Amino acid sequence: MRLINQKVSRPAGFLLAALPFVAILILYVSASEVRLAENPQDKLLPSLASMGDAFWRMAAEPDRRSGDLLLWKDTAASLSRLGVGIGISALLALLLGVPIGLIPNVRALLSSFIATFSLIPPITVLPILFIAAGLGEVSKVALIIIGTAPVMIRAIALAVAELPAELLVKAQTLGASTWQIILRVVLPQIWPKLFTAIRLGLVPAWIFLISAEAIASTEGLGYRIFLVRRYLAMDVILPYVAWITLIAFLLDRALLKSSKRLFRWAHLSGESF
């Protein structure tokens, strides 16, 4: 049997998926033990025990100055910014992407503008946002929106443009108006695409969020990482990076599961990942 025709069972798939993580863990532990054997004060590759202690301290022990549990305070601050930014981007994707993909006049008006706007490196806009909107929450959320909304708008517009023309012709034959076509034909087909666009937008959104928090913030996961780097506190930085990765993974899986549960018809052709 050719490799491309082989099926992977669920247990085998789980083991194969775990192998790269186990390999990285073994590699890290081995390298850490070698460095710590040469220099017990080495901070570059701390032991798993010291990282566990640091993570517990950040998650379960109140900060001496503020009395807050820093990990949960930083997580709540970052997730609130991420949620607002991604939510507004998703709304803009619907409000602009559907008309651009469906109505020729709107497409002629906005498609080139959105395509050009999406090419602006969002990080370069950050100083402008700080000057115009200050160092508060607005500039950080705006950076997420600028970085993710254009891509999501273009994804939705392309998905609308790729809808079978027969559907639109049939709806018009039955007397549907443009507004009715949007509500009854386009939107039901687009919802799964919106979930996919949000999943794809989460990756750059995290990058812009961490970047904005690193430059100007007093709380948040990105702020904490760049604060403790001054002290070479890798025992805090590495668990924070792992924590961000775990949150991003759980958000992605939650969106995929929600899409499969709400729009089963969109996942019948094969595996989704």
Side-chain angles (χ1 to χ4, degrees):
M1 179 183 289
R2 293 181 176 85
L3 291 175
I4 61 173
N5 295 323
Q6 291 180 352
K7 301 295 183 183
V8 181
S9 64
R10 184 178 291 272
F14 178 79
L15 290 176
L16 289 174
L19 275 180
F21 297 98
V22 174
I24 290 178
L25 185 62
I26 293 174
L27 181 63
Y28 178 86
V29 171
S30 301
S32 176
E33 287 182 352
V34 169
R35 290 187 67 92
L36 290 175
E38 295 177 354
N39 178 16
Q41 303 303 321
D42 181 74
K43 292 186 175 181
L44 184 60
L45 296 178
S47 65
L48 294 182
S50 63
M51 286 193 291
D53 291 340
F55 188 81
W56 176 259
R57 186 174 67 252
M58 302 295 286
E61 298 180 3
D63 181 60
R64 293 179 180 176
R65 290 189 299 176
S66 63
D68 297 321
L69 299 176
L70 295 180
L71 177 68
W72 306 115
K73 183 181 179 182
D74 293 333
T75 302
S78 293
L79 286 181
S80 63
R81 294 165 184 151
L82 187 75
V84 173
I86 286 291
I88 294 175
S89 293
L91 182 61
L92 290 174
L94 273 182
L95 295 178
L96 297 178
V98 171
I100 290 174
L102 185 65
I103 303 174
N105 287 334
V106 179
R107 186 183 311 134
L109 176 66
L110 293 178
S111 62
S112 298
F113 174 75
I114 297 295
T116 304
F117 195 82
S118 67
L119 298 177
I120 299 175
I123 296 297
T124 61
V125 181
L126 189 56
I128 301 174
L129 291 174
F130 283 153
I131 294 172
L135 302 178
E137 299 300 304
V138 174
S139 56
K140 301 178 186 64
V141 173
L143 181 65
I144 296 174
I145 297 171
I146 292 173
T148 58
V151 177
M152 293 170 67
I153 291 171
R154 295 181 73 185
I156 294 299
L158 288 173
V160 173
E162 291 174 352
L163 287 176
E166 294 80 3
L167 288 176
L168 305 180
V169 172
K170 289 178 180 177
Q172 294 177 74
T173 303
L174 294 173
S177 64
T178 300
W179 182 244
Q180 288 173 321
I181 290 174
I182 291 175
L183 292 180
R184 305 291 294 275
V185 178
V186 175
L187 285 182
Q189 300 285 328
I190 290 304
W191 289 122
K193 303 293 184 182
L194 181 63
F195 273 66
T196 302
I198 293 174
R199 291 176 61 202
L200 296 177
L202 279 175
V203 176
W206 274 108
I207 295 173
F208 303 135
L209 172 66
I210 298 300
S211 301
E213 289 180 342
I215 296 174
S217 185
T218 57
E219 59 185 8
L221 297 169
Y223 160 74
R224 195 66 55 191
I225 288 175
F226 279 82
L227 177 68
V228 300
R229 75 179 172 83
R230 302 171 185 171
Y231 314 107
L232 300 178
M234 293 292 282
D235 57 338
V236 175
I237 294 174
L238 290 177
Y240 257 62
V241 173
W243 178 246
I244 292 172
T245 305
L246 177 62
I247 293 174
F249 175 79
L250 292 177
L251 288 175
D252 182 76
R253 293 297 96 178
L255 286 169
L256 178 59
K257 292 288 185 183
S258 300
S259 180
K260 285 183 175 180
R261 181 178 295 273
L262 295 172
F263 317 110
R264 292 182 180 178
W265 55 268
H267 300 276
L268 296 177
S269 58
E271 293 186 34
S272 300
F273 53 88

